[in-house]
């Protein structure tokens, strides 16, 4: 996972983009990084795209 100067993250996943496996892996990685549960992370845009807009609820 690399943070870009503009604040975006570039994440490299091992899971294939089949049956939502890559999205599941992404959510798990982001949950670990931001110390929130997986239910606090939502893919707002780009569910089937390489570029995604993610919403993270940091209120615990």
């Amino acid at each position: 996972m690399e943070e870009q100067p503009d604040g975006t993250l570039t994440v490299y996943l091992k899971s294939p983009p089949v049956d939502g496996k890559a999205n599941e892996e992404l959510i798990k990685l982001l949950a670990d990084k931001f110390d929130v549960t997986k239910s606090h992370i939502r893919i707002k845009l780009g569910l089937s795209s390489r570029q995604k807009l993610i919403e993270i609820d940091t209120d615990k």
Side-chain angles (χ1 to χ4, degrees):
M1 189 175 314
E2 298 174 4
E3 187 166 350
Q4 304 302 316
D6 65 357
T8 60
L9 291 176
T10 301
V11 181
Y12 301 98
L13 304 173
K14 296 177 183 176
S15 300
V18 177
D19 296 329
K21 301 272 188 217
N23 288 338
E24 290 174 19
E25 181 183 355
L26 174 64
I27 289 171
K28 183 181 182 327
L29 286 171
L30 292 174
D32 291 344
K33 177 173 177 53
F34 292 101
D35 194 29
V36 296
T37 62
K38 292 188 292 186
S39 64
H40 283 86
I41 297 177
R42 185 171 76 113
I43 299 174
K44 290 185 71 168
L45 293 171
L47 196 59
S48 61
S49 173
R50 290 175 59 95
Q51 293 187 347
K52 302 178 184 313
L53 178 63
I54 307 292
E55 178 179 65
I56 301 173
D57 180 9
T58 57
D59 294 334
K60 294 183 179 180

